[in-house]
Amino acid sequence: MDSGSLQVFMIPVLYCALHDPAAACPTGYTTNKTVSVWGSGGRIELTVAKFMALQKTVQPDWYQSMADGETWQSNTSRKRVRKSVDRTLAHLDECLLEHQKSQELEGVEVFGVVEGGDILEERIRSAKETAKRPVAGFCLDGLQTGCMEQALRTQLITAVTKELPEDKPRLLQGVGRPDEVLACAEAGVDLFESFFPFQVTERGCALCFDYDVSPDPERAGRAPPAVLELEENRETAVVAQQNGDLNLDERTQMTSFEIDLKDKRYQDDFRPLVEGCGCYCCKNHQRAYLHHLLVTNELLAGVLLMIHNTAHYLGFFRALREALAGDKLDLLKRRVLREGGRQTERKD
Amino acid sequence: MSFKKALSAASPLTLRVVAECPVTKARACDLVLPHSAVSTPVFMPVGTQGTLKGITVDQLEGLGCHICLGNTYHLGMRPGPDLIEKANGLHGFMNWKRNLLTDSGGFQMVSLVELSEVTEEGVKFKSPYDGKEILLSPEKSISIQNSLGSDIMMQLDDVVSSTVTGPRVEEAMHRSIRWLDRCIAANKNPDKQNLFAIIQGGLNAELRRTCLDEMTKRDVPGFAIGGLSGGEEKDDFWRMVTLSTDHLPREKPRYLMGVGYAVDLVVCVALGCDMFDCVFPTRTARFGSALVPWGSLQVKQKQYAKDLQPIDPDCKCPTCKRHSRAYLHALFKSDTAAMHHITIHNIAYQLTLMRSVRQSIVEGRFPEFIRTFMKRMFPSRDQYPSWAVDALASVNVTLE
C-alpha cells in the first residue's frame, strides 16, 4: 500500500507531541481523566483542560490530542487496551470541543491518536472511531521501537491505515530505525519523529548506511561508505527482539546503520564520516578528529555528530520519497538493508 | 657567544606599530603571522584539546578570531604528535585556517600532574593515562610543537608559582634562560614557526631585570611575560608587568600569559602589552556566566526566567541577535546548547572589547576609553580596584 503523496511544506511546521520519544517514560500514572508528562521539575499531571491551556500558549501548527498510550507493557490486559482506546477517544472529543471554542488555536490543527496496543480489533476500532472526528491527521501511538516485532507492527499499521482517509497524514511515534521506517512507510505511514539521529549521536556514533539508488550517472560515481566496519558491526550489534517488556536496549543500543567512532580503528582514519556527504561535518572534518573529540570528551563531538546524523537521516528520507514516487522501494530496501550480496569494497 | 641570528628575509613574524598612545604605554599593531594578520591588542581564546569547547571553527572565524591557543601537554598526550603530524599539523587536524599558538606544556605539568622532579634536563612527571614516567625537556617540548606546526611556540620555562619566594625563584629564572637557548637550538622550523621567550623572575624586580636583560639578547620574534596571574597580589602583579614592558623591545610583540578579565586586559594594554590568553571567558560560560560591559550576568539565576531581553542589547553576537535571557535560562536546564550560546557570546565580548580598545588607541582617545570603560564596569568610583587606579596612574591616566 502506497503512502499518499503529501505536499511538501516549504516552511517548517511545529508539531507538539505529548512525550519525548528519546526519553523513557515512567508508567502507571494515567487515570480516566489525566495523563502525566515529565519535565525538568518532575511529573506534571495533565487534565484535558490543562493540556489545552498548554496548547493555547505554545500555539504549534499541529498537535496530537491528549492520549493514553500505556499499552506497550507485556502484561497489558485486553481490558486495559480497551480502556486506552476509550479514554483516548474521550480525551479527543474534549480537546476538539475546547479547540473549537478557543481563538488562540485558530489555524492550528489537531491530530487524533490511534491506540489499541497489539490487539488488532482494538486498533481497527480506534482507527475507525478516530476517523469519524474532524481531525487534520492521525498519530499512531503505542507502536514504538522495542515494544513489538516489526512483523506485528506492519500488520497493525496496515490494518489501521485501511480505516483512515487517504488525504490526511499519518504520523508514527517512537519509530526511527531505518529498517523499521522502511517497513512502516510501506505500510502507510507519512510522518516519523527524528529522535533516531539524536540517539545515534548520544552514543558517539555516526550514521553511514547507504541509501543511494539513483541512476544518475553523476551521482553513481560516489563511493559507498566503507562497508567493512559495517559488516563487523552488524555481527556484534545485538538487536534483541524480545516479546514483552519494552526493550530499552533496543532503543539505545548501536545499530548496524552506524559506526562507533570511539573505536581505535578510527584513530588515524582521515576520511570524512561518509564520503560524498555534503554536511558541514563531512565537508570540514575527518573521522580521526571526531575520534579524538570523543576520546577527550569534548563538547564539539556532539555538535558535529548531530549535524552529520541529521543530514544523513534527512537524506535517507529524501531517497525514500523518491523511491516511493519512482516505484523503487524494493531497490532502496535492498540497498539500506544490504540484502542480496555485498556492496563494493571501499576504495583505498 | 652571540645569540643574535641573522634575520631571514621571509620572517614568519612581522610587527608593524600602527599607533602609539601618547599618554599611556599602549600600542596598536598589525602582527603578521604565517596564516593571517592579527590586529593587536588581541585576546586569544583557548582551545585546549584542539577544539574550543563546542564551538566550530566556522563559528570562531565568524566571530573574527585570528589566533587561538592549543595545548602542547594535552595534545601531546592525546592524540600525540605523530598522529597530528600525519593530519597535517594541528591546523589540518582541527581544520583551523588561521593562526595557532601553542604553549610549552610546562604550566600544565606543574598545575595538573604529580610532579616528580625538575632537573636541568627537564621536567619528569607521571603520565595520568598509563602511569609511565615522562621527561618533558626543552627539546621534547619543541619537538612536539614542531609536529603541531603552530605559528607561535612557547619556550619550555621552569615554572614556579608566583606565590613562591626564595632561591627557587632565582634558580628557575636562570634555568629558563638556559632552556630558552636549548629551545632555540631545537626548533626545526624557524622560518615557519615563531619561538617566543618567556620572562620569569617571579615578583622580584631584580630577578626580572636580569631575565629581561639576558633574554632580550636572544633574537626571538616575541616575548611573553610569564610567572604572573597565578594568585599573587594585584599590586605586585601590575608592577612586574610594567617593569617588563619597560625593558622589552618596542618592535616585538609582548604577550601577557593567563590574563583575561576585562579590567586586567584594559589596564595591561595601558601598561604596554599586546597579546593575552585566558580560559576564563570560555570556562565561565559553561557555568552560565555571561560577560557584559557592566560585569557579568548569571543566566541561571531566577530573575532571568522571564527576561526577554538578550544578554546585552548592544551586543551584535549571534546569541544576542537571536536569543533572550529567558530562553537561555530555560535551556540551561535541558540542553548543552545553552553553554555554546554563552561561550559564543563571551568570546564575542572579549574580541569586541579588544577591537574597541585598539580603535581608541588608533584614534588617539584611549585614556577616554579607559575612563568610560571603568565607569560602566563599576557602580561607583570607590569600587574601582585600587591596584587598577594605581597602575593607570603610573601611565598618566587619572580616574575621577
Side-chain angles (χ1 to χ4, degrees):
Chain A
M1 181 183 188
D2 268 350
S3 66
S5 58
L6 284 177
Q7 230 183 346
V8 176
F9 287 91
M10 287 300 140
I11 44 166
V13 166
L14 184 65
Y15 172 79
C16 190
L18 183 61
H19 291 296
D20 178 356
C25 197
T27 57
Y29 293 95
T30 46
T31 68
N32 277 337
K33 291 286 179 186
T34 67
V35 302
S36 288
V37 293
W38 277 260
S40 58
R43 185 169 77 94
I44 304 166
E45 195 171 63
L46 297 171
T47 54
V48 170
K50 256 193 173 163
F51 175 86
M52 291 305 290
L54 281 167
Q55 300 297 355
K56 284 187 222 173
T57 315
V58 171
Q59 289 172 351
D61 296 294
W62 313 336
Y63 66 94
Q64 61 155 112
S65 98
M66 199 168 100
D68 171 12
E70 266 175 44
T71 54
W72 43 262
Q73 300 96 304
S74 59
N75 52 2
T76 310
S77 66
R78 198 179 190 99
K79 188 169 157 197
R80 178 65 182 88
V81 173
R82 205 178 306 133
K83 229 197 314 197
S84 84
V85 174
D86 293 334
R87 279 176 181 171
T88 301
L89 285 166
H91 294 329
L92 173 58
D93 289 336
E94 266 195 76
C95 282
L96 285 170
L97 216 60
E98 187 59 43
H99 184 105
Q100 276 141 18
K101 276 196 283 179
S102 69
Q103 214 176 15
E104 297 99 321
L105 295 175
E106 231 183 87
V108 179
E109 304 285 6
V110 186
F111 273 43
V113 183
V114 176
E115 299 288 350
D118 57 359
I119 301 172
L120 187 61
E121 299 81 59
E122 286 300 308
R123 281 277 168 195
I124 292 173
R125 179 168 80 92
S126 179
K128 274 196 162 107
E129 285 301 315
T130 310
K132 287 183 188 159
R133 274 73 171 170
V135 292
F138 301 89
C139 183
L140 277 48
D141 195 15
L143 295 158
Q144 62 265 41
T145 299
C147 84
M148 63 178 67
E149 304 250 1
Q150 183 57 42
L152 177 59
R153 185 181 292 119
T154 302
Q155 185 197 16
L156 294 172
I157 293 177
T158 307
V160 161
T161 53
K162 260 213 189 81
E163 310 297 334
L164 302 177
E166 281 283 313
D167 61 347
K168 291 183 180 178
R170 302 85 174 254
L171 187 153
L172 176 60
Q173 298 204 312
V175 170
R177 221 174 56 208
D179 55 328
E180 295 174 327
V181 166
L182 286 169
C184 296
E186 200 176 13
V189 175
D190 305 305
L191 301 163
F192 296 81
E193 295 174 313
S194 60
F195 60 96
F196 182 68
F198 168 70
Q199 290 177 318
V200 174
T201 301
E202 288 286 279
R203 48 181 178 252
C205 295
L207 290 175
C208 57
F209 64 97
D210 189 16
Y211 52 76
D212 186 12
V213 294
S214 153
D216 180 359
E218 275 180 48
R219 283 163 67 184
R222 204 199 321 159
V227 223
L228 281 181
E229 59 258 21
L230 280 179
E231 288 298 328
E232 287 166 43
N233 286 349
R234 189 191 268 239
E235 280 149 29
T236 54
V238 175
V239 182
Q241 297 252 340
Q242 297 165 6
N243 290 320
D245 287 324
L246 186 64
N247 186 352
L248 285 175
D249 282 341
E250 202 178 331
R251 280 151 61 99
T252 54
Q253 207 152 54
M254 197 176 124
T255 67
S256 56
F257 303 99
E258 55 202 83
I259 49 175
D260 179 6
L261 287 165
K262 292 182 298 306
D263 194 296
K264 262 199 151 80
R265 79 184 93 178
Y266 300 113
Q267 217 174 36
D268 54 356
D269 188 339
F270 294 112
R271 293 170 296 170
L273 294 180
V274 172
E275 211 83 55
C277 174
C279 83
Y280 174 83
C281 179
C282 290
K283 288 215 295 239
N284 288 284
H285 295 293
Q286 304 151 330
R287 295 169 175 199
Y289 185 58
L290 265 305
H291 173 85
H292 166 71
L293 294 176
L294 285 163
V295 160
T296 54
N297 279 313
E298 281 289 341
L299 292 167
L300 188 60
V303 172
L304 293 175
L305 281 178
M306 194 61 189
I307 290 175
H308 168 76
N309 289 336
T310 305
H312 197 89
Y313 200 58
L314 294 180
F316 163 61
F317 273 86
R318 211 173 305 128
L320 175 53
R321 288 193 294 277
E322 284 173 15
L324 286 167
D327 197 20
K328 290 211 175 83
L329 187 60
D330 281 335
L331 189 56
L332 180 64
K333 276 158 79 174
R334 275 207 302 280
R335 180 73 87 236
V336 172
L337 305 175
R338 293 179 297 119
E339 293 160 10
R342 294 173 69 89
Q343 288 182 311
T344 52
E345 298 286 292
R346 67 168 179 225
K347 301 190 204 139
D348 263 311
Chain B
M1 192 166 32
S2 162
F3 291 90
K4 276 200 186 283
K5 280 205 197 127
L7 276 167
S8 59
S11 175
L13 183 152
T14 342
L15 187 81
R16 189 171 70 93
V17 179
V18 170
E20 282 172 293
C21 174
V23 178
T24 68
K25 299 201 289 179
R27 316 101 68 72
C29 307
D30 289 341
L31 174 64
V32 183
L33 293 167
H35 281 83
S36 68
V38 179
S39 302
T40 74
V42 65
F43 176 77
M44 306 180 285
V46 181
T48 309
Q49 306 202 83
T51 160
L52 225 121
K53 295 297 178 245
I55 306 305
T56 64
V57 290
D58 249 26
Q59 288 174 311
L60 197 54
E61 231 177 79
L63 290 170
C65 176
H66 277 272
I67 178 168
C68 65
L69 263 68
N71 193 292
T72 298
Y73 167 77
H74 289 289
L75 293 167
M77 290 287 123
R78 303 183 296 189
D82 294 334
L83 184 83
I84 295 191
E85 242 194 87
K86 261 198 233 166
N88 282 322
L90 186 55
H91 286 90
F93 191 54
M94 44 182 299
N95 197 22
W96 174 245
K97 298 185 169 63
R98 295 178 176 178
N99 298 300
L100 284 169
L101 185 153
T102 49
D103 66 345
S104 63
F107 181 71
Q108 274 69 41
M109 307 231 323
V110 170
S111 63
L112 291 184
V113 302
E114 191 186 291
L115 192 64
S116 297
E117 230 188 313
V118 182
T119 63
E120 191 59 27
E121 221 192 339
V123 191
K124 271 201 220 123
F125 70 105
K126 276 205 188 75
S127 160
Y129 303 106
D130 55 14
K132 281 203 295 228
E133 231 194 35
I134 302 182
L135 171 73
L136 189 69
S137 63
E139 290 75 18
K140 180 81 177 133
S141 173
I142 296 303
S143 167
I144 297 174
Q145 293 186 76
N146 279 150
S147 295
L148 296 177
S150 46
D151 302 277
I152 299 177
M153 310 186 291
M154 304 308 296
Q155 69 154 115
L156 182 68
D157 48 347
D158 187 358
V159 181
V160 152
S161 163
S162 52
T163 50
V164 168
T165 52
R168 177 74 184 103
V169 182
E170 180 163 7
E171 179 196 47
M173 184 272 288
H174 283 294
R175 180 170 292 139
S176 295
I177 300 171
R178 293 192 294 275
W179 281 4
L180 171 60
D181 291 338
R182 284 167 61 182
C183 286
I184 294 172
N187 184 6
K188 288 196 297 250
N189 303 324
D191 53 345
K192 281 215 189 80
Q193 296 183 266
N194 297 286
L195 175 62
F196 276 27
I198 305 179
I199 309 293
Q200 295 291 350
L203 303 175
N204 183 312
E206 248 185 70
L207 294 178
R208 284 252 162 210
R209 274 306 301 272
T210 309
C211 199
L212 283 156
D213 288 342
E214 278 305 312
M215 286 192 173
T216 49
K217 287 185 187 149
R218 278 72 175 163
D219 186 28
V220 286
F223 296 90
I225 301 166
L228 297 174
S229 199
E232 73 278 357
E233 287 296 328
K234 275 306 216 294
D235 281 323
D236 299 322
F237 161 77
W238 78 261
R239 288 185 163 86
M240 290 298 107
V241 172
T242 207
L243 170 68
S244 302
T245 56
D246 277 343
H247 298 280
L248 286 171
R250 174 187 175 273
E251 54 318 313
K252 290 186 178 174
R254 298 96 171 251
Y255 165 27
L256 181 57
M257 305 183 82
V259 168
Y261 292 159
V263 177
D264 300 5
L265 291 172
V266 173
V267 173
C268 291
V269 167
L271 298 182
C273 299
D274 308 306
M275 303 163 67
F276 305 86
D277 84 283
C278 193
V279 292
F280 169 70
T282 40
R283 178 174 292 167
T284 206
R286 300 197 292 283
F287 294 101
S289 181
L291 301 176
V292 288
W294 59 95
S296 70
L297 196 148
Q298 310 308 320
V299 154
K300 284 163 134 180
Q301 282 176 350
K302 259 199 157 89
Q303 54 183 294
Y304 299 114
K306 300 194 175 169
D307 190 337
L308 295 175
Q309 288 182 92
I311 292 169
D312 177 6
D314 292 326
C315 179
K316 301 194 172 42
C317 83
T319 301
C320 290
K321 281 212 285 223
R322 294 188 66 167
H323 300 301
S324 65
R325 299 167 182 186
Y327 173 69
L328 294 166
H329 174 91
L331 198 60
F332 254 102
K333 301 198 176 130
S334 60
D335 204 301
T336 52
M339 296 194 287
H340 301 169
H341 290 310
I342 310 262
T343 301
I344 287 180
H345 168 81
N346 283 2
I347 296 173
Y349 171 78
Q350 299 284 110
L351 298 182
T352 304
L353 176 63
M354 289 287 103
R355 230 173 281 135
S356 319
V357 164
R358 175 191 164 91
Q359 199 56 28
S360 73
I361 298 170
V362 166
E363 291 173 9
R365 50 177 180 81
F366 184 46
E368 203 186 296
F369 176 90
I370 299 175
R371 283 188 269 266
T372 311
F373 169 82
M374 295 292 281
K375 269 212 201 102
R376 189 96 205 269
M377 186 60 74
F378 299 99
S380 61
R381 172 66 178 82
D382 52 318
Q383 303 232 343
Y384 290 7
S386 57
W387 75 268
V389 175
D390 295 341
L392 290 168
S394 81
V395 287
N396 310 307
V397 175
T398 43
L399 303 166
E400 331 73 49

CSV table of all heavy atoms in Angstrom, one decimal, chain A residues 162-188:
chain,number,residue,atom,x,y,z
A,162,LYS,N,-5.9,1.3,6.6
A,162,LYS,CA,-7.1,1.0,5.8
A,162,LYS,C,-8.3,1.7,6.2
A,162,LYS,O,-9.2,2.1,5.4
A,162,LYS,CB,-7.4,-0.5,5.9
A,162,LYS,CG,-6.9,-1.4,4.8
A,162,LYS,CD,-7.9,-2.6,4.6
A,162,LYS,CE,-7.3,-3.7,3.7
A,162,LYS,NZ,-6.3,-4.6,4.3
A,163,GLU,N,-8.4,2.0,7.5
A,163,GLU,CA,-9.6,2.7,8.0
A,163,GLU,C,-9.4,4.2,8.0
A,163,GLU,O,-10.3,4.9,8.4
A,163,GLU,CB,-9.8,2.3,9.5
A,163,GLU,CG,-9.8,0.8,9.7
A,163,GLU,CD,-11.0,0.1,9.0
A,163,GLU,OE1,-12.0,0.8,8.7
A,163,GLU,OE2,-10.8,-1.1,8.6
A,164,LEU,N,-8.3,4.7,7.6
A,164,LEU,CA,-8.1,6.1,7.7
A,164,LEU,C,-8.2,6.8,6.3
A,164,LEU,O,-7.8,6.1,5.3
A,164,LEU,CB,-6.7,6.4,8.3
A,164,LEU,CG,-6.4,5.9,9.7
A,164,LEU,CD1,-4.9,6.2,10.1
A,164,LEU,CD2,-7.4,6.5,10.7
A,165,PRO,N,-8.6,8.0,6.2
A,165,PRO,CA,-8.8,8.7,4.9
A,165,PRO,C,-7.4,8.8,4.2
A,165,PRO,O,-6.4,9.1,4.9
A,165,PRO,CB,-9.4,10.0,5.3
A,165,PRO,CG,-9.1,10.2,6.7
A,165,PRO,CD,-9.1,8.9,7.3
A,166,GLU,N,-7.5,8.8,2.9
A,166,GLU,CA,-6.2,8.9,2.1
A,166,GLU,C,-5.6,10.2,2.2
A,166,GLU,O,-4.4,10.4,2.0
A,166,GLU,CB,-6.5,8.5,0.7
A,166,GLU,CG,-6.7,7.0,0.4
A,166,GLU,CD,-5.3,6.4,0.3
A,166,GLU,OE1,-4.4,7.0,-0.4
A,166,GLU,OE2,-5.1,5.3,0.9
A,167,ASP,N,-6.5,11.2,2.4
A,167,ASP,CA,-6.0,12.6,2.2
A,167,ASP,C,-5.6,13.3,3.6
A,167,ASP,O,-5.5,14.5,3.6
A,167,ASP,CB,-7.1,13.5,1.5
A,167,ASP,CG,-8.3,13.5,2.4
A,167,ASP,OD1,-8.5,12.7,3.3
A,167,ASP,OD2,-9.2,14.4,2.1
A,168,LYS,N,-5.4,12.5,4.6
A,168,LYS,CA,-4.9,13.0,5.8
A,168,LYS,C,-3.6,12.3,6.3
A,168,LYS,O,-3.5,11.1,6.2
A,168,LYS,CB,-6.0,12.9,6.9
A,168,LYS,CG,-7.2,13.8,6.6
A,168,LYS,CD,-8.2,13.8,7.8
A,168,LYS,CE,-9.4,14.7,7.4
A,168,LYS,NZ,-10.4,14.7,8.4
A,169,PRO,N,-2.6,13.1,6.8
A,169,PRO,CA,-1.3,12.4,7.1
A,169,PRO,C,-1.4,11.5,8.3
A,169,PRO,O,-2.2,11.7,9.2
A,169,PRO,CB,-0.4,13.7,7.4
A,169,PRO,CG,-1.4,14.7,7.8
A,169,PRO,CD,-2.6,14.5,7.0
A,170,ARG,N,-0.5,10.5,8.3
A,170,ARG,CA,-0.4,9.5,9.4
A,170,ARG,C,1.0,9.7,10.0
A,170,ARG,O,2.0,9.5,9.2
A,170,ARG,CB,-0.6,8.1,8.9
A,170,ARG,CG,-1.9,7.8,8.2
A,170,ARG,CD,-1.8,8.1,6.8
A,170,ARG,NE,-3.0,7.7,6.0
A,170,ARG,CZ,-3.0,6.7,5.2
A,170,ARG,NH1,-1.9,6.0,5.0
A,170,ARG,NH2,-4.1,6.4,4.6
A,171,LEU,N,1.1,10.0,11.2
A,171,LEU,CA,2.3,10.2,11.9
A,171,LEU,C,2.5,9.0,12.9
A,171,LEU,O,1.7,8.6,13.6
A,171,LEU,CB,2.3,11.5,12.7
A,171,LEU,CG,3.6,12.0,13.4
A,171,LEU,CD1,3.6,13.5,13.5
A,171,LEU,CD2,3.8,11.4,14.8
A,172,LEU,N,3.7,8.4,12.8
A,172,LEU,CA,4.0,7.3,13.6
A,172,LEU,C,5.0,7.7,14.7
A,172,LEU,O,6.1,8.2,14.4
A,172,LEU,CB,4.7,6.1,12.8
A,172,LEU,CG,5.1,4.9,13.6
A,172,LEU,CD1,3.9,4.2,14.4
A,172,LEU,CD2,5.7,3.9,12.7
A,173,GLN,N,4.6,7.4,16.0
A,173,GLN,CA,5.5,7.9,17.1
A,173,GLN,C,6.5,6.8,17.5
A,173,GLN,O,6.2,5.6,17.5
A,173,GLN,CB,4.6,8.2,18.3
A,173,GLN,CG,3.7,9.4,18.0
A,173,GLN,CD,3.3,10.1,19.2
A,173,GLN,OE1,2.9,9.5,20.2
A,173,GLN,NE2,3.4,11.4,19.2
A,174,GLY,N,7.7,7.2,17.9
A,174,GLY,CA,8.6,6.4,18.6
A,174,GLY,C,9.3,5.3,17.7
A,174,GLY,O,9.9,4.4,18.2
A,175,VAL,N,9.2,5.5,16.4
A,175,VAL,CA,9.9,4.6,15.5
A,175,VAL,C,10.8,5.4,14.6
A,175,VAL,O,10.4,6.3,13.9
A,175,VAL,CB,8.9,3.8,14.6
A,175,VAL,CG1,9.6,3.0,13.5
A,175,VAL,CG2,8.1,2.9,15.5
A,176,GLY,N,12.1,4.9,14.6
A,176,GLY,CA,13.1,5.8,13.8
A,176,GLY,C,14.2,5.0,13.1
A,176,GLY,O,14.9,5.5,12.3
A,177,ARG,N,14.4,3.7,13.5
A,177,ARG,CA,15.4,3.0,12.9
A,177,ARG,C,15.1,2.8,11.4
A,177,ARG,O,14.0,2.4,11.0
A,177,ARG,CB,15.6,1.6,13.6
A,177,ARG,CG,17.0,1.2,13.8
A,177,ARG,CD,17.1,0.0,14.7
A,177,ARG,NE,16.3,-1.1,14.1
A,177,ARG,CZ,15.8,-2.1,14.8
A,177,ARG,NH1,15.9,-2.1,16.1
A,177,ARG,NH2,15.1,-3.1,14.2
A,178,PRO,N,16.1,2.9,10.5
A,178,PRO,CA,15.9,2.9,9.1
A,178,PRO,C,15.1,1.7,8.6
A,178,PRO,O,14.2,1.8,7.7
A,178,PRO,CB,17.3,2.9,8.5
A,178,PRO,CG,18.1,3.6,9.5
A,178,PRO,CD,17.5,3.3,10.8
A,179,ASP,N,15.4,0.5,9.1
A,179,ASP,CA,14.7,-0.7,8.6
A,179,ASP,C,13.2,-0.6,9.0
A,179,ASP,O,12.3,-1.0,8.2
A,179,ASP,CB,15.4,-2.0,9.2
A,179,ASP,CG,15.5,-2.0,10.7
A,179,ASP,OD1,15.7,-0.9,11.3
A,179,ASP,OD2,15.5,-3.1,11.3
A,180,GLU,N,13.0,-0.2,10.2
A,180,GLU,CA,11.6,0.0,10.7
A,180,GLU,C,10.9,1.1,9.9
A,180,GLU,O,9.7,0.9,9.6
A,180,GLU,CB,11.6,0.3,12.2
A,180,GLU,CG,12.1,-0.8,13.1
A,180,GLU,CD,12.2,-0.4,14.5
A,180,GLU,OE1,12.5,0.8,14.8
A,180,GLU,OE2,12.0,-1.3,15.4
A,181,VAL,N,11.6,2.1,9.6
A,181,VAL,CA,11.0,3.2,8.9
A,181,VAL,C,10.5,2.7,7.5
A,181,VAL,O,9.4,3.0,7.0
A,181,VAL,CB,12.0,4.4,8.7
A,181,VAL,CG1,11.5,5.4,7.6
A,181,VAL,CG2,12.1,5.1,10.0
A,182,LEU,N,11.4,2.0,6.8
A,182,LEU,CA,11.1,1.4,5.5
A,182,LEU,C,9.8,0.6,5.6
A,182,LEU,O,8.9,0.8,4.8
A,182,LEU,CB,12.2,0.6,5.0
A,182,LEU,CG,13.4,1.4,4.5
A,182,LEU,CD1,14.6,0.5,4.2
A,182,LEU,CD2,13.1,2.2,3.2
A,183,ALA,N,9.7,-0.3,6.5
A,183,ALA,CA,8.6,-1.2,6.6
A,183,ALA,C,7.3,-0.4,7.0
A,183,ALA,O,6.2,-0.6,6.4
A,183,ALA,CB,8.8,-2.2,7.7
A,184,CYS,N,7.4,0.6,7.8
A,184,CYS,CA,6.2,1.4,8.2
A,184,CYS,C,5.8,2.3,7.1
A,184,CYS,O,4.6,2.6,7.0
A,184,CYS,CB,6.5,2.1,9.5
A,184,CYS,SG,6.8,1.0,10.9
A,185,ALA,N,6.7,2.9,6.4
A,185,ALA,CA,6.4,3.7,5.3
A,185,ALA,C,5.6,2.9,4.2
A,185,ALA,O,4.6,3.4,3.7
A,185,ALA,CB,7.6,4.4,4.7
A,186,GLU,N,6.1,1.7,4.0
A,186,GLU,CA,5.4,0.9,3.1
A,186,GLU,C,4.0,0.5,3.5
A,186,GLU,O,3.1,0.3,2.7
A,186,GLU,CB,6.2,-0.4,2.9
A,186,GLU,CG,5.9,-1.2,1.6
A,186,GLU,CD,6.8,-2.4,1.4
A,186,GLU,OE1,7.4,-2.8,2.4
A,186,GLU,OE2,6.8,-2.9,0.3
A,187,ALA,N,3.8,0.5,4.8
A,187,ALA,CA,2.5,0.1,5.4
A,187,ALA,C,1.6,1.3,5.5
A,187,ALA,O,0.4,1.2,5.9
A,187,ALA,CB,2.7,-0.5,6.8
A,188,GLY,N,2.1,2.5,5.1
A,188,GLY,CA,1.2,3.7,5.0
A,188,GLY,C,1.5,4.8,5.9
A,188,GLY,O,0.7,5.8,6.0
